[in-house]
């Protein structure tokens, strides 16, 4: 079985080591567009559609975050990229950690945005399998249409109402098969906290202060794992807490996320 390249999109022009942006569930590369616009000049940003999302196909492989990471890696190498600052939002963060584990030479820096290094609880695992089964049996994405209420924080729910129709249109554009595949892939992933303990390059962790899906405690857990003094100089594993934003801080406050990623990129350039 062969695996085709994933769809990629240049979201910000520049040169040197690119930022590779991996989206969360059930979205695609478009969630990064506003954030990429606010990046400092000169940073190239490449958005990727993960398997079964946006313009990327499912290639017949079993659902797997590890396979997804390998596909991102092969897509980037085929595109001529020798390394990258890999930034993942939520599900994209699970993929970023798998990339750091499986292709450490490729990952020049890690941006972990509203995500976690821990595995699912039994309850979360069972819920994913129910959502996957519903998407497959109904052949719709109805099971995830309610997610925006949990994705954005309380502040956005009150003051950024325009995000709801936008998120709804992004989610309705996904395929039931892609939604089911991603849920099964996430359900099967292990705890990757140890990857952060081993990772020897800059790390930035970003979390919305109002995130209830991957809350601040998960972000702090990752910073602690990444920040071992034997591996890091002070400030390497920076934690940015975005006020007034929830799980989708990148969309709710794109400027704040872009500032954190700009600093990460500068650290990577200085580290080289
Ligand atoms: C996401 O935003 O990617 C999902 O909420 C992640 C998850 O379900 O664990």
């Amino acid at each position: 079985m062969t695996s085709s390249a994933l769809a990629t999109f240049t979201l910000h022009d520049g040169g040197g080591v690119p930022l590779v942006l991996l989206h969360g569930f059930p979205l695609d590369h478009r969630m990064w567009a506003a954030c990429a616009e606010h990046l400092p000049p000169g940073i190239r940003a490449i958005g990727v559609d993960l398997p079964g999302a946006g313009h990327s196909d499912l290639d017949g492989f079993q659902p797997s975050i590890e396979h997804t990471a390998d596909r991102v890696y092969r897509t980037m190498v085929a595109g001529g990229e020798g390394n990258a600052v890999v930034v993942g939002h939520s599900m994209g963060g699970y993929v970023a950690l798998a990339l750091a584990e499986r292709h450490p030479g490729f990952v020049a820096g890690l941006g972990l945005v509203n995500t976690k290094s821990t595995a699912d609880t039994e309850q979360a695992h069972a819920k994913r399998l129910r959502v996957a089964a519903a998407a497959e049996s109904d052949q719709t994405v109805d099971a995830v249409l309610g997610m925006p209420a949990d994705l954005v924080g309380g502040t956005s729910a009150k003051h950024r109402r325009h995000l709801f129709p936008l998120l709804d249109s992004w989610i309705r554009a996904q395929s039931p098969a892609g939604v089911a595949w991603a849920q099964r892939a996430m359900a099967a992933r292990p705890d990757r906290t140890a990857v952060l303990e081993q990772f020897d390059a800059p790390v930035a962790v970003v979390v919305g202060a109002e995130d209830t899906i991957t809350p601040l405690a998960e972000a702090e857990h990752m910073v602690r794992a990444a920040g071992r003094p034997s591996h890091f100089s002070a400030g390497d594993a920076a934690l940015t807490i975005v006020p007034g934003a929830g799980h989708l801080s990148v969309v709710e406050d794109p400027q704040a996320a872009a500032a954190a990623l700009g600093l990460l990129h500068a650290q990577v350039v200085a580290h080289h």
Side-chain angles (χ1 to χ4, degrees):
M1 203 181 303
T2 55
S3 182
S4 56
L6 294 167
T8 61
F9 304 83
T10 299
L11 300 178
H12 195 258
D13 284 323
V17 185
L19 285 181
V20 168
L21 304 173
L22 308 178
H23 61 82
F25 173 89
L27 305 172
D28 58 38
H29 75 279
R30 288 175 292 178
M31 66 159 282
W32 291 107
C35 173
E37 272 174 31
H38 290 289
L39 285 170
I43 299 181
R44 190 157 50 102
I46 304 169
V48 179
D49 279 346
L50 296 175
H55 290 81
S56 289
D57 61 9
L58 288 172
D59 56 9
F61 280 79
Q62 290 303 307
S64 151
I65 292 293
E66 295 73 36
H67 174 65
T68 301
D70 291 349
R71 245 183 117 183
V72 172
Y73 172 72
R74 284 198 298 270
T75 299
M76 289 300 138
V77 170
E81 310 298 346
N83 63 359
V85 180
V86 179
V87 180
H89 170 265
S90 201
M91 174 177 74
Y94 310 156
V95 177
L97 286 170
L99 253 169
E101 180 179 65
R102 297 165 75 82
H103 306 285
F106 179 76
V107 184
L110 259 182
L112 298 167
V113 183
N114 294 91
T115 189
K116 60 186 177 191
S117 59
T118 53
D120 281 350
T121 60
E122 256 178 57
Q123 204 186 5
H125 182 102
K127 185 173 171 202
R128 288 198 198 283
L129 300 188
R130 282 199 302 276
V131 170
E136 282 163 349
S137 65
D138 304 354
Q139 284 300 299
T140 69
V141 297
D142 289 358
V144 291
L145 284 180
M147 277 188 74
D150 297 321
L151 290 174
V152 304
T155 303
S156 296
K158 269 202 199 121
H159 301 297
R160 299 184 185 108
R161 299 293 307 169
H162 64 280
L163 292 180
F164 285 95
L166 182 67
L167 293 173
D168 188 64
S169 71
W170 289 350
I171 294 173
R172 285 181 191 276
Q174 305 308 319
S175 73
V179 163
W181 197 93
Q183 284 290 1
R184 294 190 194 284
M186 287 192 278
R189 78 189 194 287
D191 185 312
R192 287 207 159 86
T193 304
V195 175
L196 279 170
E197 290 165 359
Q198 304 290 322
F199 188 69
D200 191 17
V203 176
V205 175
V206 179
V207 64
E210 301 171 3
D211 188 344
T212 53
I213 297 179
T214 50
L216 179 59
E218 293 284 357
E220 288 173 340
H221 176 71
M222 292 191 290
V223 173
R224 272 196 302 275
R228 293 200 320 193
S230 59
H231 285 248
F232 286 88
S233 56
D236 263 356
L239 173 64
T240 301
I241 303 171
V242 183
H247 187 62
L248 266 184
S249 65
V250 172
V251 178
E252 299 172 72
D253 187 349
Q255 269 170 289
L261 299 182
L263 285 175
L264 171 65
H265 191 269
Q267 274 184 344
V268 168
V269 171
H271 188 85
H272 265 250

